[in-house]
Structures are given as C-alpha cells and as structure tokens.
Amino acid sequence: MLNKSKVKPGYTRKLDFKQGHIEMAHGGGGRAMAQLIQQLFVNAFDNEFLHSMNDQACFPSSNGRMVMSTDSHVVTPLFFPGGDIGSLAVNGTINDIAMAGAKPCYLAASFILEEGLPLADLQRIVDSMATTAQTAGVPIVTGDTKVVEKGSGDGVFITTTGIGMVPEGIHISAEKARPGDKILVSGTLGDHGIAVMASRENLSFQTSIISDTAALHDLVAAMIATVPTIRVLRDPTRGGLASTLNEIAQQSSVGMMLYENNLPIREQVQAACEFLGLDPLYIANEGKLIAICPAKDAENLLRIMQNHPLGQNAAIIGDVIDDAHCFVQMQTQLGGNRVIDWLSGEQLPRIC
Amino acid sequence: MLNKSKVKPGYTRKLDFKQGHIEMAHGGGGRAMAQLIQQLFVNAFDNEFLHSMNDQACFPSSNGRMVMSTDSHVVTPLFFPGGDIGSLAVNGTINDIAMAGAKPCYLAASFILEEGLPLADLQRIVDSMATTAQTAGVPIVTGDTKVVEKGSGDGVFITTTGIGMVPEGIHISAEKARPGDKILVSGTLGDHGIAVMASRENLSFQTSIISDTAALHDLVAAMIATVPTIRVLRDPTRGGLASTLNEIAQQSSVGMMLYENNLPIREQVQAACEFLGLDPLYIANEGKLIAICPAKDAENLLRIMQNHPLGQNAAIIGDVIDDAHCFVQMQTQLGGNRVIDWLSGEQLPRIC
C-alpha cells in the first residue's frame, strides 16, 4: 500500500486537469507516468489492488469454473448520448463475462492515449469508468497506460479484460441451441448504434435516442437463478442481432426463424434507420442480450426478464429450427420469408 | 466446438495473406471479421478454448491466490532484431504475471488494427505470438479484433492480459524491500531498448544488438523454489532499471545503493548509449528481472539465476538502505556517489 506521507514532493506535483494535455512522457515509464497513474487512475478506481502499485493484481480464487474475456474499445466519438467510451468499455466486458452465465469479479483496463488528448477528456472518461464499475460492483484492479504520437492513435482506445466465476450447474455456450428452442431478446434493438451514428453525423434526432449501454450481469443472474436450462446467451453488439444469430446458428448447426412482428424496435430508431438507409437488425446494441432456451421454459424466462429494469421490453422473437444450411430467416410483417444473412461489409465502423 | 464440415461456403472464403490488407469490414462484426478470426487467429493460436468461438473462455479454477495483469503494446517498428510486437506482447504479460512469483496460466489478446495493414505482416505477428505462447506453455484463450481507419492507428496495437496462480507461501510485492536486502538483476541491461532504437534509426550497429525479449516465468519458478524468501520481483521495462528501482524504493519507503562496477552492460550497448546520448540505466529491458531478497539468501539466489539460461549474466548490483528520502544512489566507477533519479521526460518513446 502506498504510504502517501512519504511520497517525495516531485512525485506529487499536481497534473493540470483543466488545461493540460497528454504528452509522450506520460507513457515513458518515468515520473510523469507515475503522476498520471497516481493522480488519475488510482485515485478514480480507488481500491486496495491498485494502491499496492504492483504490475499485477493479486486476489483469492476458488474451485470452480472461471471465464475470461477481453475487448478493445475504439468508439468514435468518445462521448455520445447515453454514454462514453469509458462506460462502454466497462459494461462491454462485464457483459461478455455475463454471457457465460458467470458473475464478473475483476476488471483490468489498458489505455492507449494519443499525444495531445485533453486531460479533461481523459478524466471525464476515467470518472465514467469508475462510476460504471462501482455501480456494477466489479472493481478495476490493474491496468496499463501507453502513449502514441499525435496522428498514430485517435484520442483514446481502451482495452478491458474481465474474469468471472460460473455458478455450479450452469453450462451456457453458443453451440447449445437445439431445434425447438425459443429465441428471446431482452429489449429494443439498435439504440446504441443509432445514438452513436446520430451524434457522429450531428443529426437532428440525436437528442431523442440514447445508447443502451448497460451491465447485464444482474439481469443474467436473475435469469439463470430461475431458468438454469438457458442454452445460449449472447450480446448482439457489432453486427447486431443478425450477425450474432448467424454466429450462433453456425456454431450450433441449426437454423432460425424470426418473427418481424415480435421484434422490439423503437419508432425513432426505425425512423432513423430508414433515414440513414440502415437495417436495425444489423445495428449494434450495448445493453441487450439474446437468450435461447427450451420452449417449455420460454414464457417463464420472459416473465423474469420483463420484471428486471433492463429487460422490460423483452420479447420472444423466434424459433430455433432444423436447417442444414444454418440459415437465419425472418417471417416478415407482410407474411413473406427472407434470409437474414451475415453482415458482409461494414455498416457502422467504430461503433464500440 | 466448431463443426467444420457444416460451415457454409461463404464463411470459409480464403483470405489473401500474400497480397491482402486489413479493411474496415474486418472489424465490422460480420462475415469478413469471422473469416479473419477463423483463418488467422483461431488457426494460429489453435486451442479448445478458441474453437468454442464464444466471446469468452471458460476453464477450471482452484483455491488459492490468483494474479491478473494487462499491458498494451505499441512498439515501433513492429519488427526489430530479436523479436516483434507479437513476441513482446506475449512475453511482456507473462513476465508481469511471473513478477508476483505466479505461474502464468492463460492469456487474452486484443488487437487494434489500422486499415491498410498488410495481412502478411499481421500473419507474421500472429505466428510469432503463437510460437512464443506455445514455447512458454501459456495458451491464448480469448481475444478481440477492432479496426480503425487509416491514420487513426499505427499498424497494430496489441493488448495482452494474463492470469496466473501464486504458489502457496509466496508473497512477493513491491513494498517488501527492507534495509539490508540485496538487489540482483538477471542479466545485461538495455539490450531491448537499444535494439529497437537502432533498428528505428537504421544505425550501423543494429545487427549486433538484439532485443532480450523472453518469458521469465521458468526462471522465476526456479528462483522461488530455492529461495522462497524473495521479497520483490520486477521487470525493468519502460524507464529501465532506474525508474523501476525508484518505484520500488518509493513503495517500500527505503533507499538503495547501486554499485556501477557490478552492473552487467554489454560493451556494444554501452557504446550505442554513448553514441545516442542515452543512459543504459533508463533503457527498457524485456527479458530481465530485478530481485530483492534478504542478504543471507543473495549468493544462493545468484547461483540459481546464473544456472538458468535466462540468468547467465545475473549479478548482485546493490543494497537496500535506510533513507527517508527514498533515493536511489549509485557508487560510480570513479568512487563518487550520484543520485539515480526518476526518468523525468521521455527517453525512448514507444519502446514496448
């Protein structure tokens, strides 16, 4: 534990968080970096692991099954309606852990900063991460900071890695979907992607749509406590619902049939998609999950989800079917069928 | 586990690893990304965890103490004498885990790729990571890929995160140095920094100095097996020996006295430093460690280190002393004393 009373004067010179900028020296391994770590990161993320100032965090582990997941975040702009790269980075990795049915325990955060980044922006991002992590109850216990020259990065990239523990008896994995299963989604589709896109393009509807970025581990805990038979959980981020379902179909060697009438999509998101020429099925979500469970448990699971603040708009949106081609299809509102293919290009770059 | 026989034709279109480049679509969450992950990452890192194609890896855990560490790697150039960003990223995180006396178990790797990066370069880097991880016996079990526009990144940034288990009875931490302890280093100083710097500047001596990038966990295991009383382990990367010792002095509230005569520095590195106006004490190392142990165990520890291929040039380089100012000092070859301060600016940017 760092003994603050013995810190040398030069070590504690105050960084200027109002006017200051990131300089190459903040990544140099010397005094400037130590100041940045101490005054910004350790201060904001405040926990015993970080105060030990080692290059790694040490904590007790127990018998069982553990999961680990990592995600780099490169979203632009850094701040958008409903969130910022900081909250996104914390929630995103918590969600990847939660999608194994696991309880997230610890996070690591690594920053790649561009020379010239205003310290005020970085502080705002770090404060957002701290608040998000604290709300979720998952501490950021270790980290790293690198700085690249102006023009070799883009403000800030954040890589978060999480570890968590899987409760006994829970075996959730993308290859477990079986024909006859029901497909559920926890809420409205496309909010995050459209919120970011609108703020990027300075569109007039930007104020009304906000990112759904949220940590889903509490919702997942409620779901598996009541329906431990859940077979698949996945958060439909990049590539949206369509890409995620195609991945699951592939891995489970099944087909899927969606019902367009059942898809929860906000009117404003639908309108924005039409305006921008986008398909909401391919738009990123950052606070939603797809669940696949045996048909007999679907209504029960739906009720649990709808009773949780993050699942109020949950819906049963489709069936897992037998299909050697692993196609994801949709029965449209007009009664036709169309294949919902993989996203083949890039619809919304740098959305997370 | 992905059932390859059932994969759709479009999913397995071959990427062109000779002429191809990274495109924005490779980070879009759609088919192009799935191809990149499958044909490059899963193929190279080949293990059951990755084949499950979930967004997280699941593995057994056991009672004890666990460590977690993360590091982003932004070294330039991507390839340098003795290594590349891939081997560096694997070894660097293994070493951060090992510096807690822990046995590294699993790695996560997250890539931020710049649009236009030749696929051939990426393949070379990924192959290097695969070889390094396999040699070290630490699998890369999960990962992520993001792509940023040309000019918003710099080729490739790699963030690796590792977890490991601490053997019972081992308690190594940077605040444990005590006056009277001995300070050891496992080999020559400055090799990595000078190798990278020389290749960056196209200097004529570049062929003779190679990076020391190496995974130190096996050396550490040998050390703690014989001398479990080791108090501090730390790898002197960015900021070099000087910055690392200042950090330890600060955290342990002690002073240090080094003996210049005892510092192992290659003649060529010394010459390059003089040529470039650099101080080898501040130059990054990527395959060296500092150990601090009770004086009575120092000779024994030195012998163990020297008997290991990665510790042949190990030396006892100084003493921990009582000093309220936490100064690191050095008795020079000429007999004088000088203070070895923190690195205050940036000596060698983007060295790791």
Side-chain angles (χ1 to χ4, degrees):
Chain A
M1 207 97 17
L2 193 74
N3 185 335
K4 284 179 183 178
S5 64
K6 291 198 182 170
V7 163
K8 285 187 289 185
Y11 188 68
T12 54
R13 194 164 45 103
K14 277 276 178 204
L15 287 173
D16 180 356
F17 284 109
K18 281 190 178 156
Q19 307 289 332
H21 292 82
I22 284 294
E23 300 161 19
M24 292 305 293
H26 287 123
R31 196 191 298 271
M33 193 173 86
Q35 284 167 349
L36 182 71
I37 292 173
Q38 193 62 46
Q39 293 175 38
L40 181 59
F41 298 110
V42 176
N43 193 39
F45 300 151
D46 190 33
N47 58 57
E48 58 180 317
F49 308 99
L50 285 175
H51 282 294
S52 79
M53 295 294 282
N54 284 308
D55 285 337
Q56 70 292 116
C58 184
F59 40 79
S61 65
S62 54
N63 283 330
R65 280 175 307 133
M66 176 170 268
V67 290
M68 180 183 201
S69 187
T70 194
D71 254 344
S72 288
H73 296 82
V74 300
V75 66
T76 178
L78 298 173
F79 306 95
F80 47 81
D84 55 65
I85 191 172
S87 54
L88 204 66
V90 169
N91 288 334
T93 291
I94 286 177
N95 290 348
D96 279 342
I97 295 296
M99 293 309 119
K103 174 183 153 42
C105 301
Y106 300 104
L107 291 176
S110 194
F111 295 79
I112 298 175
L113 309 173
E114 186 190 11
E115 183 186 17
L117 175 73
L119 280 175
D121 284 358
L122 183 58
Q123 186 172 41
R124 193 174 150 199
I125 290 164
V126 168
D127 284 347
S128 167
M129 292 180 78
T131 305
T132 308
Q134 191 167 24
T135 305
V138 188
I140 298 168
V141 296
T142 189
D144 184 43
T145 311
K146 293 292 190 310
V147 179
V148 296
E149 305 85 351
K150 203 169 175 58
S152 293
D154 195 9
V156 50
F157 301 144
I158 305 175
T159 302
T160 43
T161 308
I163 58 174
M165 292 298 294
V166 186
E168 230 183 293
I170 299 299
H171 294 272
I172 290 168
S173 186
E175 87 283 0
K176 294 195 170 238
R178 293 291 169 267
D181 288 352
K182 290 286 179 189
I183 306 167
L184 295 85
V185 68
S186 65
T188 55
L189 297 169
D191 302 20
H192 173 74
I194 293 299
V196 172
M197 201 61 190
S199 87
R200 207 183 282 174
E201 306 287 340
N202 246 322
L203 298 179
S204 57
F205 48 78
Q206 70 179 81
T207 49
S208 53
I209 305 171
I210 66 167
S211 168
D212 58 347
T213 179
L216 296 168
H217 58 310
D218 190 63
L219 170 62
V220 168
M223 290 165 64
I224 60 175
T226 307
V227 185
T229 53
I230 294 171
R231 307 212 211 251
V232 182
L233 288 174
R234 192 63 83 86
D235 52 341
T237 57
R238 271 185 296 180
L241 181 77
S243 301
T244 307
L245 289 181
N246 268 286
E247 280 178 35
I248 298 170
Q250 192 80 67
Q251 288 158 47
S252 291
S253 298
V254 296
M256 295 185 182
M257 179 61 74
L258 304 181
Y259 306 102
E260 190 170 19
N261 274 327
N262 297 10
L263 295 178
I265 299 173
R266 285 183 209 283
E267 233 171 84
Q268 292 159 314
V269 169
Q270 187 69 55
C273 279
E274 281 166 21
F275 181 78
L276 294 164
L278 299 170
D279 184 338
L281 297 185
Y282 292 88
I283 307 283
N285 310 278
E286 291 290 340
K288 300 292 153 50
L289 60 80
I290 297 164
I292 297 178
C293 72
K296 67 173 174 54
D297 299 320
E299 287 295 338
N300 194 9
L301 183 58
L302 180 65
R303 215 167 19 246
I304 302 293
M305 290 166 78
Q306 287 175 338
N307 281 336
H308 192 280
L310 293 175
Q312 286 171 17
N313 298 312
I316 298 175
I317 61 168
D319 294 303
V320 178
I321 59 176
D322 205 2
D323 181 356
H325 297 290
C326 306
F327 284 151
V328 177
Q329 301 178 66
M330 184 166 75
Q331 220 169 77
T332 66
Q333 286 173 335
L334 302 173
N337 267 14
R338 73 174 174 103
V339 171
I340 307 293
D341 201 3
W342 290 78
L343 178 66
S344 47
E346 165 82 20
Q347 196 172 222
L348 293 176
R350 298 185 57 188
I351 208 68
C352 60
Chain B
M1 207 97 17
L2 193 74
N3 185 337
K4 284 178 186 181
S5 64
K6 293 200 183 170
V7 163
K8 285 187 292 187
Y11 189 69
T12 54
R13 192 163 45 104
K14 277 275 178 208
L15 287 172
D16 181 356
F17 284 108
K18 281 190 178 154
Q19 309 287 335
H21 292 81
I22 285 294
E23 300 160 21
M24 291 306 291
H26 287 124
R31 196 192 299 272
M33 192 173 87
Q35 284 167 347
L36 183 71
I37 291 172
Q38 194 62 46
Q39 292 176 38
L40 181 58
F41 298 110
V42 175
N43 193 38
F45 300 152
D46 191 33
N47 57 59
E48 56 179 318
F49 307 100
L50 285 176
H51 282 293
S52 79
M53 295 293 282
N54 284 308
D55 284 338
Q56 71 290 115
C58 184
F59 40 80
S61 65
S62 54
N63 282 328
R65 280 175 306 132
M66 175 169 270
V67 290
M68 180 184 202
S69 187
T70 193
D71 254 345
S72 288
H73 296 82
V74 299
V75 66
T76 177
L78 297 173
F79 305 96
F80 47 81
D84 54 66
I85 190 171
S87 54
L88 205 65
V90 170
N91 288 334
T93 290
I94 286 177
N95 290 348
D96 279 341
I97 295 295
M99 293 309 120
K103 173 181 153 39
C105 301
Y106 300 104
L107 290 176
S110 194
F111 296 79
I112 298 175
L113 308 174
E114 186 190 12
E115 183 187 17
L117 175 74
L119 280 175
D121 284 359
L122 183 58
Q123 186 172 42
R124 192 174 152 200
I125 290 165
V126 168
D127 285 348
S128 167
M129 291 181 79
T131 306
T132 308
Q134 192 168 23
T135 305
V138 188
I140 297 168
V141 296
T142 189
D144 183 44
T145 311
K146 292 292 190 311
V147 179
V148 296
E149 304 86 351
K150 204 167 175 61
S152 292
D154 195 9
V156 50
F157 301 144
I158 305 175
T159 302
T160 43
T161 308
I163 58 174
M165 292 298 295
V166 186
E168 230 183 295
I170 298 299
H171 294 273
I172 290 169
S173 185
E175 87 284 0
K176 294 193 170 241
R178 294 290 170 269
D181 287 352
K182 291 287 179 189
I183 305 166
L184 295 87
V185 68
S186 65
T188 55
L189 297 170
D191 300 21
H192 173 73
I194 293 299
V196 172
M197 201 61 190
S199 88
R200 205 182 285 175
E201 307 287 340
N202 246 322
L203 298 178
S204 57
F205 49 77
Q206 70 179 82
T207 48
S208 52
I209 306 172
I210 66 167
S211 168
D212 58 348
T213 179
L216 296 169
H217 58 311
D218 189 64
L219 170 61
V220 168
M223 290 165 65
I224 61 174
T226 308
V227 184
T229 54
I230 294 171
R231 307 212 210 250
V232 182
L233 288 175
R234 191 63 83 88
D235 51 340
T237 57
R238 271 184 295 180
L241 181 78
S243 301
T244 307
L245 288 181
N246 269 285
E247 279 179 34
I248 298 170
Q250 193 81 67
Q251 288 158 47
S252 290
S253 299
V254 296
M256 295 184 182
M257 179 62 74
L258 305 181
Y259 306 102
E260 189 170 20
N261 274 327
N262 296 10
L263 295 178
I265 299 173
R266 286 183 208 283
E267 233 171 82
Q268 293 159 313
V269 169
Q270 187 69 56
C273 279
E274 281 165 21
F275 181 77
L276 294 164
L278 299 171
D279 183 337
L281 297 186
Y282 293 88
I283 307 283
N285 310 277
E286 291 290 339
K288 300 293 152 52
L289 61 80
I290 297 165
I292 297 179
C293 72
K296 66 174 175 52
D297 299 320
E299 286 296 337
N300 195 9
L301 183 59
L302 180 65
R303 216 167 19 247
I304 302 293
M305 290 166 76
Q306 288 174 338
N307 281 337
H308 191 279
L310 293 175
Q312 285 171 18
N313 297 311
I316 298 174
I317 61 167
D319 294 303
V320 178
I321 60 175
D322 205 3
D323 180 357
H325 297 290
C326 306
F327 283 151
V328 176
Q329 299 179 68
M330 184 167 74
Q331 219 169 79
T332 66
Q333 285 173 337
L334 302 172
N337 267 13
R338 74 174 173 103
V339 171
I340 307 294
D341 201 2
W342 290 78
L343 178 65
S344 46
E346 166 82 16
Q347 197 172 220
L348 293 176
R350 299 185 56 186
I351 208 68
C352 60

mmCIF file of all heavy atoms in Angstrom, chain A residues 92-114:
data_model
loop_
_atom_site.group_PDB
_atom_site.id
_atom_site.type_symbol
_atom_site.label_atom_id
_atom_site.label_comp_id
_atom_site.label_asym_id
_atom_site.label_seq_id
_atom_site.Cartn_x
_atom_site.Cartn_y
_atom_site.Cartn_z
ATOM 1 N N GLY A 92 -19.137 -3.399 -21.562
ATOM 2 C CA GLY A 92 -18.912 -4.366 -22.633
ATOM 3 C C GLY A 92 -18.252 -5.636 -22.132
ATOM 4 O O GLY A 92 -18.659 -6.750 -22.480
ATOM 5 N N THR A 93 -17.234 -5.482 -21.310
ATOM 6 C CA THR A 93 -16.521 -6.664 -20.834
ATOM 7 C C THR A 93 -17.296 -7.377 -19.736
ATOM 8 O O THR A 93 -17.316 -8.613 -19.669
ATOM 9 C CB THR A 93 -15.092 -6.284 -20.413
ATOM 10 O OG1 THR A 93 -14.374 -5.951 -21.606
ATOM 11 C CG2 THR A 93 -14.382 -7.429 -19.717
ATOM 12 N N ILE A 94 -17.968 -6.620 -18.884
ATOM 13 C CA ILE A 94 -18.860 -7.253 -17.897
ATOM 14 C C ILE A 94 -19.877 -8.127 -18.632
ATOM 15 O O ILE A 94 -20.151 -9.268 -18.239
ATOM 16 C CB ILE A 94 -19.563 -6.178 -17.039
ATOM 17 C CG1 ILE A 94 -18.575 -5.580 -16.031
ATOM 18 C CG2 ILE A 94 -20.784 -6.767 -16.322
ATOM 19 C CD1 ILE A 94 -19.147 -4.460 -15.179
ATOM 20 N N ASN A 95 -20.415 -7.615 -19.735
ATOM 21 C CA ASN A 95 -21.429 -8.370 -20.471
ATOM 22 C C ASN A 95 -20.858 -9.635 -21.106
ATOM 23 O O ASN A 95 -21.506 -10.685 -21.110
ATOM 24 C CB ASN A 95 -22.089 -7.482 -21.525
ATOM 25 C CG ASN A 95 -22.964 -6.417 -20.886
ATOM 26 O OD1 ASN A 95 -23.250 -6.477 -19.686
ATOM 27 N ND2 ASN A 95 -23.375 -5.426 -21.660
ATOM 28 N N ASP A 96 -19.648 -9.552 -21.636
ATOM 29 C CA ASP A 96 -19.050 -10.757 -22.225
ATOM 30 C C ASP A 96 -18.851 -11.841 -21.176
ATOM 31 O O ASP A 96 -18.958 -13.038 -21.469
ATOM 32 C CB ASP A 96 -17.715 -10.418 -22.909
ATOM 33 C CG ASP A 96 -17.925 -9.822 -24.297
ATOM 34 O OD1 ASP A 96 -19.029 -9.989 -24.860
ATOM 35 O OD2 ASP A 96 -16.994 -9.200 -24.826
ATOM 36 N N ILE A 97 -18.526 -11.421 -19.964
ATOM 37 C CA ILE A 97 -18.401 -12.381 -18.857
ATOM 38 C C ILE A 97 -19.785 -12.941 -18.502
ATOM 39 O O ILE A 97 -19.972 -14.160 -18.348
ATOM 40 C CB ILE A 97 -17.782 -11.684 -17.616
ATOM 41 C CG1 ILE A 97 -16.340 -11.232 -17.896
ATOM 42 C CG2 ILE A 97 -17.836 -12.598 -16.388
ATOM 43 C CD1 ILE A 97 -15.371 -12.335 -18.157
ATOM 44 N N ALA A 98 -20.749 -12.029 -18.409
ATOM 45 C CA ALA A 98 -22.111 -12.434 -18.007
ATOM 46 C C ALA A 98 -22.731 -13.398 -19.016
ATOM 47 O O ALA A 98 -23.561 -14.236 -18.651
ATOM 48 C CB ALA A 98 -22.989 -11.202 -17.826
ATOM 49 N N MET A 99 -22.337 -13.288 -20.296
ATOM 50 C CA MET A 99 -22.943 -14.135 -21.331
ATOM 51 C C MET A 99 -22.543 -15.607 -21.196
ATOM 52 O O MET A 99 -23.072 -16.470 -21.894
ATOM 53 C CB MET A 99 -22.613 -13.622 -22.735
ATOM 54 C CG MET A 99 -23.238 -12.278 -23.069
ATOM 55 S SD MET A 99 -25.027 -12.130 -22.765
ATOM 56 C CE MET A 99 -25.067 -10.805 -21.563
ATOM 57 N N ALA A 100 -21.614 -15.903 -20.301
ATOM 58 C CA ALA A 100 -21.334 -17.303 -19.968
ATOM 59 C C ALA A 100 -22.146 -17.716 -18.742
ATOM 60 O O ALA A 100 -21.956 -18.804 -18.194
ATOM 61 C CB ALA A 100 -19.844 -17.492 -19.700
ATOM 62 N N GLY A 101 -23.031 -16.831 -18.299
ATOM 63 C CA GLY A 101 -23.774 -17.090 -17.067
ATOM 64 C C GLY A 101 -22.951 -16.796 -15.831
ATOM 65 O O GLY A 101 -23.351 -17.120 -14.714
ATOM 66 N N ALA A 102 -21.789 -16.188 -16.028
ATOM 67 C CA ALA A 102 -20.833 -16.010 -14.931
ATOM 68 C C ALA A 102 -21.061 -14.715 -14.156
ATOM 69 O O ALA A 102 -21.631 -13.757 -14.674
ATOM 70 C CB ALA A 102 -19.413 -16.038 -15.478
ATOM 71 N N LYS A 103 -20.584 -14.702 -12.932
ATOM 72 C CA LYS A 103 -20.583 -13.498 -12.106
ATOM 73 C C LYS A 103 -19.237 -12.795 -12.319
ATOM 74 O O LYS A 103 -18.191 -13.337 -11.969
ATOM 75 C CB LYS A 103 -20.730 -13.891 -10.635
ATOM 76 C CG LYS A 103 -20.607 -12.738 -9.653
ATOM 77 C CD LYS A 103 -20.709 -13.273 -8.223
ATOM 78 C CE LYS A 103 -19.981 -12.420 -7.198
ATOM 79 N NZ LYS A 103 -20.103 -10.988 -7.297
ATOM 80 N N PRO A 104 -19.237 -11.590 -12.912
ATOM 81 C CA PRO A 104 -17.968 -10.885 -13.132
ATOM 82 C C PRO A 104 -17.337 -10.471 -11.803
ATOM 83 O O PRO A 104 -18.040 -9.989 -10.917
ATOM 84 C CB PRO A 104 -18.372 -9.664 -13.963
ATOM 85 C CG PRO A 104 -19.842 -9.533 -13.829
ATOM 86 C CD PRO A 104 -20.400 -10.859 -13.423
ATOM 87 N N CYS A 105 -16.033 -10.699 -11.673
ATOM 88 C CA CYS A 105 -15.350 -10.438 -10.391
ATOM 89 C C CYS A 105 -14.359 -9.279 -10.477
ATOM 90 O O CYS A 105 -14.341 -8.414 -9.618
ATOM 91 C CB CYS A 105 -14.591 -11.682 -9.939
ATOM 92 S SG CYS A 105 -15.628 -13.129 -9.728
ATOM 93 N N TYR A 106 -13.519 -9.278 -11.500
ATOM 94 C CA TYR A 106 -12.461 -8.275 -11.584
ATOM 95 C C TYR A 106 -12.263 -7.821 -13.022
ATOM 96 O O TYR A 106 -12.421 -8.604 -13.960
ATOM 97 C CB TYR A 106 -11.126 -8.848 -11.077
ATOM 98 C CG TYR A 106 -11.175 -9.314 -9.647
ATOM 99 C CD1 TYR A 106 -11.240 -10.667 -9.344
ATOM 100 C CD2 TYR A 106 -11.164 -8.394 -8.600
ATOM 101 C CE1 TYR A 106 -11.293 -11.112 -8.023
ATOM 102 C CE2 TYR A 106 -11.217 -8.824 -7.272
ATOM 103 C CZ TYR A 106 -11.278 -10.186 -6.999
ATOM 104 O OH TYR A 106 -11.327 -10.616 -5.699
ATOM 105 N N LEU A 107 -11.870 -6.560 -13.161
ATOM 106 C CA LEU A 107 -11.567 -5.998 -14.477
ATOM 107 C C LEU A 107 -10.136 -5.471 -14.519
ATOM 108 O O LEU A 107 -9.621 -4.954 -13.524
ATOM 109 C CB LEU A 107 -12.502 -4.825 -14.788
ATOM 110 C CG LEU A 107 -13.981 -5.108 -15.038
ATOM 111 C CD1 LEU A 107 -14.728 -3.793 -15.215
ATOM 112 C CD2 LEU A 107 -14.155 -5.995 -16.276
ATOM 113 N N ALA A 108 -9.523 -5.566 -15.701
ATOM 114 C CA ALA A 108 -8.260 -4.882 -15.992
ATOM 115 C C ALA A 108 -8.551 -3.874 -17.101
ATOM 116 O O ALA A 108 -9.395 -4.128 -17.964
ATOM 117 C CB ALA A 108 -7.216 -5.896 -16.455
ATOM 118 N N ALA A 109 -7.865 -2.738 -17.076
ATOM 119 C CA ALA A 109 -8.109 -1.713 -18.094
ATOM 120 C C ALA A 109 -6.784 -1.190 -18.626
ATOM 121 O O ALA A 109 -5.905 -0.798 -17.860
ATOM 122 C CB ALA A 109 -8.912 -0.560 -17.496
ATOM 123 N N SER A 110 -6.638 -1.195 -19.943
ATOM 124 C CA SER A 110 -5.396 -0.729 -20.549
ATOM 125 C C SER A 110 -5.712 0.386 -21.547
ATOM 126 O O SER A 110 -6.604 0.246 -22.377
ATOM 127 C CB SER A 110 -4.691 -1.897 -21.233
ATOM 128 O OG SER A 110 -3.365 -1.537 -21.534
ATOM 129 N N PHE A 111 -4.968 1.475 -21.444
ATOM 130 C CA PHE A 111 -5.255 2.683 -22.220
ATOM 131 C C PHE A 111 -4.164 2.939 -23.252
ATOM 132 O O PHE A 111 -2.979 2.869 -22.936
ATOM 133 C CB PHE A 111 -5.313 3.898 -21.286
ATOM 134 C CG PHE A 111 -6.446 3.840 -20.296
ATOM 135 C CD1 PHE A 111 -6.348 3.061 -19.149
ATOM 136 C CD2 PHE A 111 -7.614 4.544 -20.515
ATOM 137 C CE1 PHE A 111 -7.389 2.993 -18.232
ATOM 138 C CE2 PHE A 111 -8.668 4.493 -19.617
ATOM 139 C CZ PHE A 111 -8.548 3.707 -18.470
ATOM 140 N N ILE A 112 -4.581 3.235 -24.483
ATOM 141 C CA ILE A 112 -3.644 3.743 -25.487
ATOM 142 C C ILE A 112 -4.087 5.172 -25.782
ATOM 143 O O ILE A 112 -5.147 5.403 -26.358
ATOM 144 C CB ILE A 112 -3.645 2.878 -26.759
ATOM 145 C CG1 ILE A 112 -3.195 1.452 -26.416
ATOM 146 C CG2 ILE A 112 -2.712 3.483 -27.814
ATOM 147 C CD1 ILE A 112 -3.264 0.468 -27.583
ATOM 148 N N LEU A 113 -3.288 6.120 -25.315
ATOM 149 C CA LEU A 113 -3.633 7.545 -25.393
ATOM 150 C C LEU A 113 -2.872 8.203 -26.528
ATOM 151 O O LEU A 113 -1.712 7.876 -26.776
ATOM 152 C CB LEU A 113 -3.278 8.230 -24.070
ATOM 153 C CG LEU A 113 -3.822 7.554 -22.803
ATOM 154 C CD1 LEU A 113 -3.265 8.236 -21.555
ATOM 155 C CD2 LEU A 113 -5.341 7.564 -22.817
ATOM 156 N N GLU A 114 -3.540 9.144 -27.198
ATOM 157 C CA GLU A 114 -2.875 9.896 -28.257
ATOM 158 C C GLU A 114 -2.330 11.186 -27.665
ATOM 159 O O GLU A 114 -3.037 11.897 -26.933
ATOM 160 C CB GLU A 114 -3.872 10.206 -29.385
ATOM 161 C CG GLU A 114 -3.232 10.867 -30.597
ATOM 162 C CD GLU A 114 -4.272 11.383 -31.591
ATOM 163 O OE1 GLU A 114 -5.470 11.423 -31.250
ATOM 164 O OE2 GLU A 114 -3.867 11.752 -32.715
#
